[in-house]
Amino acid sequence: MSQLYLVGIDCSDCGNRALDYAADRAKFDGSKILVAHVIEWSPYSFNTVEENAKRHKRREDELERAHQEIINPVLGKLEAQGIEATGVVRHGHIAKTLKKLAEEHGANTIVVGRQGQSNVVAQLFGSVSGTLVQITDRPVTVVP
């Protein structure tokens, strides 16, 4: 059975190290990679119909731009290494969206970087990696 690594990327050094880790694993065991970028978005706002229409257009533009500027270069890098990879961009709560993507695509492992938040910030708001470890039913590799 082929493995699938879901890698959450965010253009940070930690996210890049997570991608490199998954690429090394995929080269070693012949796995595939699903690269995911989540644009944090909250549905909790009060807009008029006109504002919602403009907001929807902005969201669509954001998705396209993220594919062109973030996902496609990463996929090219992985392809050059001989790794089969696909990419996806979504809006939403980052940890919940990565969990959902892992379920939808049958990912065996989720790989994310650990951002260097201060202890106070992490305690008050939680971290993506910490939340993901708590809510998902599959292994999560957190790369420092």
Side-chain angles (χ1 to χ4, degrees), residues 13-90:
D13 289 339
C14 289
N16 292 336
R17 287 193 297 275
L19 181 65
D20 291 343
Y21 173 84
D24 288 344
R25 297 299 310 151
K27 284 188 276 189
F28 176 76
D29 61 18
S31 297
K32 298 175 184 176
I33 293 178
L34 173 62
V35 180
H37 178 73
V38 180
I39 301 168
E40 190 134 34
W41 176 76
S42 172
Y44 304 108
S45 64
F46 302 97
N47 296 322
T48 66
V49 173
E50 294 81 18
E51 288 170 331
N52 279 336
K54 289 178 186 176
R55 184 177 185 200
H56 178 74
K57 174 66 174 138
R58 282 192 313 268
R59 288 182 68 209
E60 293 301 314
D61 291 344
E62 282 179 336
L63 291 172
E64 180 59 31
R65 183 173 175 210
H67 266 288
Q68 295 302 318
E69 295 181 13
I70 299 169
I71 296 293
N72 291 347
V74 168
L75 294 179
K77 176 183 171 183
L78 293 171
E79 183 180 312
Q81 297 178 58
I83 299 169
E84 187 176 338
T86 55
V88 63
V89 178
R90 296 268 175 91

